[in-house]
Amino acid sequence: MNVERIPLIGQVLESGADDRVLDGLLLSGPIVIALIVLLGRNLLTEGIAVTYLLVFVGYVAYLGLQ
Amino acid sequence: MNGTKATLGRDIGRMLEALAGLVGVTAVVALVWGEFYVVPALAVSAAIPFGVGYALTTLFEDAEDPGKLHGMMVAASGWFAVALFGSLPFLLVAWTVELDPALLSVPSSARTSTLAAFTEPLNAFFESMSGFTGTGLTMTDNEEVLPRTLQWWRSFIEWVGGVGVIVLTTAILARPGSGSLTLYESEARSEKIHPSIVSTVRTIWWIFVLFTFVSITLLWLAGMPIWGAINHGMTGLATGGFSITDNSIATYDSVAIDFALLPIMTLGSIAFPIHFLILRGDLKNFYTDLQTRWVLGGFTLGSAFLWALVYFGGTYGSAFTALRYGLFQFVSAMSCTGFQTAVSSTNVALGNWTAAAQLTVAGGMVVGAAAGSTVGGIKLIRLATLIKGIQHRVSDVFYPASAVRRLEIDGRRLDEREARREFEEAGIIAVLWVAFLTVAMFVLLPVLPMSEYTLENVIFEVASAQGNVGLSAGITGPSMPDLGKVMFLFNMWIGRLEIIPVLVLLRVIFRRGGVYR
């Protein structure tokens, strides 16, 4: 199945910077926030949030250094 | 029906339909928070703009695409209409609580003087205009006691307004062709990311939504509760400045949160096309793009100057405290965000800073940051054009009349005609900006209690309203005289659209109404 044919996901992939990692960050953003809302502040959610930010900053820096 | 009215009607209708959709999204928040008593008010608030919008779009379905004149009129009247209809949730929720129908089981905790202020239509309209234009001045006394639904509505309209109502409408309704480009440019934007305008606005939203998630996560990690992080992440990135707490960001009194907001406000101050290039790995745009370079330089120099004023002027005793408040307040001002950390309950309020410090902050508000971002103000590219244009004109004297000279701005080499046009445009907007600031000052000075506010307070507040900033010296509030509220409504409206589209609309209305020939 082609993920680009799924309505909302397809639009996100089509609109962005043609980069699957950044598209993935955009699509996983609501999930990260939902987890924080549902589980509250604990080591797991803080770990997820830190990972989310590190992937974003680290990946943009990596693209810049390439 | 003539062409102008049809084009205007069709495009405003589309904007109102999009607005109805925003109210619909907000109903979900009401259900999540269990605030069922606001749902009927939201349903009516969505039904009215949808009904009007649907009628207009159906009636004028075959209207022509807007030209430059129509585009400006659509932008000005559309923003006004959206702000007007966007006030309905404030007004109707406030009246729901005021009338307290037994069927809706309104909780007694909802009955507050803060919410009651919105039973005045002018206050509700002010709040809506302040939200959509990303200003952040408020008619609330204490945002904390508002229903969560209205807290969300305030943040949501600022978030949408940060990118632009027309950009939203274009992205949703996806109408290709020259009409969309004309409207896009009328909303104080010019640079495109892709050749297609629909692709451009969709990419702008893609960037904006991604940055919103990053901002929310960062604020939560810095220690802000998640509801605050969601709202402040949205309004911080949109450089709007509405808060859900009584004392803005000062409520948290946290160094970590103050410093976490700095990169968020900075993201909001950089133009979307530059974000797009940076996200593709082109990091050199941080220093090669003139506006981005000036944003970062302006934040650094302005903050350093303000730090010196508040530290050596004795406002704050410690160098770090002066840095914390000086840096935050300057970035908040120049990015046109309007978050406040300097309030009287935790430290020295902005309105009590020295006149020089207040005017430095006001200077940041007037200039603003990058065109093509979410900020207000005159914009750095115009300041750059004015400075370089003046240098160019002065140095003309030292060259022979036959010399062929070009003006270089932002990597572009402009010939005499192009330079003259850009310099003239920047000059006209700067002059109009100052003219309307002056008019607002003259309106405000006689209606405010003379002993309560100084001249620098008034200059500060007017610059804040017109620059769509939202920092307050304490003048704006529900007890402000109505004439002052109306003046600020006008300032916020013209400030968001960079004045000219509003003047074009008023000229057409007055001429057709026979006010002048």
Side-chain angles (χ1 to χ4, degrees):
Chain A
M1 186 186 163
N2 190 349
V3 285
E4 290 177 8
R5 296 184 69 175
I6 302 171
L8 186 65
I9 293 174
Q11 280 184 349
V12 168
L13 298 180
E14 194 186 314
S15 304
D18 291 330
D19 188 301
R20 287 291 185 263
V21 176
L22 293 174
D23 285 334
L25 283 170
L26 176 57
L27 291 168
S28 59
I31 300 167
V32 171
I33 293 166
L35 282 174
I36 291 170
V37 171
L38 294 172
L39 304 177
R41 191 180 289 273
N42 59 44
L43 208 58
L44 175 68
T45 50
E46 284 182 351
I48 292 170
V50 168
T51 307
Y52 186 79
L53 285 181
L54 285 180
V55 170
F56 173 75
V57 175
Y59 186 67
V60 174
Y62 163 76
L63 287 176
L65 293 174
Q66 265 193 327
Chain B
M1 189 57 69
N2 74 34
T4 303
K5 281 183 186 164
T7 303
L8 243 69
R10 192 262 325 272
D11 287 350
I12 292 170
R14 285 180 167 163
M15 290 163 78
L16 292 179
E17 283 177 342
L19 174 69
L22 301 183
V23 183
V25 171
T26 302
V28 177
V29 177
L31 298 177
V32 168
W33 281 103
E35 291 176 339
F36 302 111
Y37 65 95
V38 306
V39 173
L42 289 183
V44 177
S45 304
I48 293 174
F50 183 78
V52 175
Y54 185 76
L56 287 171
T57 46
T58 310
L59 196 61
F60 302 120
E61 198 176 4
D62 301 322
E64 290 172 11
D65 269 351
K68 193 173 181 182
L69 168 68
H70 293 160
M72 288 194 174
M73 290 172 69
V74 168
S77 53
W79 272 83
F80 190 86
V82 164
L84 187 66
F85 285 93
S87 68
L88 287 173
F90 296 113
L91 187 71
L92 298 182
V93 169
W95 273 108
T96 302
V97 172
E98 190 74 13
L99 298 173
D100 193 11
L103 194 68
L104 293 179
S105 309
V106 177
S108 57
S109 59
R111 186 180 281 273
T112 60
S113 59
T114 300
L115 185 58
F118 289 135
T119 54
E120 290 286 335
L122 186 59
N123 290 350
F125 187 28
F126 187 101
E127 197 77 2
S128 177
M129 181 68 89
S130 177
F132 276 108
T133 56
T135 306
L137 289 171
T138 183
M139 283 292 117
T140 61
D141 282 331
N142 180 7
E143 294 91 327
E144 279 173 40
V145 300
L146 285 175
R148 301 279 186 175
T149 310
L150 284 189
Q151 288 182 348
W152 164 265
W153 180 243
R154 294 168 81 246
S155 304
F156 193 37
I157 61 179
E158 273 205 332
W159 187 71
V160 169
V163 175
V165 176
I166 290 173
V167 168
L168 171 75
T169 312
T170 310
I172 294 173
L173 301 175
R175 185 185 57 188
S178 62
S180 295
L181 174 63
T182 309
L183 289 175
Y184 177 77
E185 289 176 341
S186 303
E187 204 178 40
R189 295 189 182 282
S190 55
E191 287 186 48
K192 291 196 290 180
I193 296 173
H194 304 293
S196 151
I197 199 66
V198 175
S199 300
T200 295
V201 295
R202 283 189 172 157
T203 302
I204 286 176
W205 275 106
W206 181 90
I207 295 167
F208 197 54
V209 174
L210 173 62
F211 283 179
T212 304
F213 294 140
V214 169
S215 303
I216 292 169
T217 314
L218 179 62
L219 285 178
W220 181 75
L221 275 176
M224 199 179 270
I226 188 64
W227 180 242
I230 291 171
N231 284 275
H232 292 124
M234 288 165 71
T235 59
L237 183 65
T239 63
F242 269 156
S243 176
I244 58 162
T245 58
D246 190 17
N247 282 317
S248 190
I249 302 305
T251 304
Y252 301 104
D253 198 14
S254 157
V255 176
I257 289 174
D258 289 2
F259 280 90
L261 275 164
L262 293 174
I264 295 171
M265 294 189 284
T266 307
L267 282 177
S269 306
I270 295 173
F272 284 104
I274 302 304
H275 279 311
F276 181 72
L277 294 173
I278 288 170
L279 287 174
R280 291 178 70 110
D282 213 346
L283 297 187
K284 69 176 187 299
N285 278 281
F286 275 123
Y287 55 87
T288 54
D289 175 63
L290 179 130
Q291 286 204 99
T292 308
R293 194 168 65 237
W294 279 42
V295 166
L296 301 176
F299 283 172
T300 308
L301 291 176
S303 303
F305 185 63
L306 190 58
W307 169 81
L309 286 174
V310 294
Y311 179 54
F312 294 110
T315 309
Y316 298 105
S318 111
F320 179 74
T321 311
L323 175 71
R324 177 185 167 187
Y325 292 109
L327 175 63
F328 187 94
Q329 291 304 170
F330 191 81
V331 172
S332 178
M334 192 172 158
S335 66
C336 301
T337 310
F339 281 146
Q340 251 173 290
T341 51
V343 299
S344 53
S345 63
T346 52
N347 50 59
V348 185
L350 257 176
N352 294 328
W353 283 15
T354 61
Q358 284 190 55
L359 291 176
T360 303
V361 176
M365 296 195 281
V366 170
V367 174
S373 67
T374 65
V375 306
I378 293 174
K379 311 272 184 355
L380 281 168
I381 189 67
R382 297 224 172 75
L383 184 70
T385 307
L386 283 174
I387 292 172
K388 285 174 179 263
I390 291 167
Q391 281 174 347
H392 189 75
R393 287 290 163 89
V394 170
S395 61
D396 253 356
V397 178
F398 300 97
Y399 290 86
S402 57
V404 177
R405 301 183 63 223
R406 291 190 180 263
L407 175 64
E408 276 198 40
I409 299 173
D410 202 12
R412 295 175 304 138
R413 297 189 75 222
L414 308 177
D415 62 27
E416 188 61 34
R417 193 178 56 83
E418 292 167 330
R420 195 185 297 274
R421 196 186 62 223
E422 296 217 3
F423 184 61
E424 188 182 271
E425 186 201 301
I428 287 170
I429 290 183
V431 167
L432 286 173
W433 206 274
V434 175
F436 282 105
L437 284 178
T438 312
V439 169
M441 276 167 50
F442 278 106
V443 169
L444 227 62
L445 280 169
V447 300
L448 290 174
M450 284 192 71
S451 56
E452 269 184 54
Y453 303 106
T454 60
L455 179 63
E456 61 263 25
N457 288 160
V458 174
I459 294 173
F460 185 94
E461 202 86 0
V462 171
S464 177
Q466 190 165 296
N468 302 135
V469 183
L471 288 173
S472 177
I475 294 172
T476 307
S479 58
M480 185 183 187
D482 282 353
L483 187 59
K485 290 176 191 172
V486 172
M487 188 67 238
F488 274 11
L489 270 168
F490 185 71
N491 286 121
M492 292 189 285
W493 183 37
I494 62 171
R496 180 61 180 82
L497 291 163
E498 297 185 348
I499 304 178
I500 290 177
V502 176
L503 293 185
V504 168
L505 177 71
L506 294 178
R507 180 183 186 272
V508 172
I509 290 172
F510 288 151
R511 283 189 82 116
R512 294 198 178 172
V515 175
Y516 78 92
R517 296 271 170 218

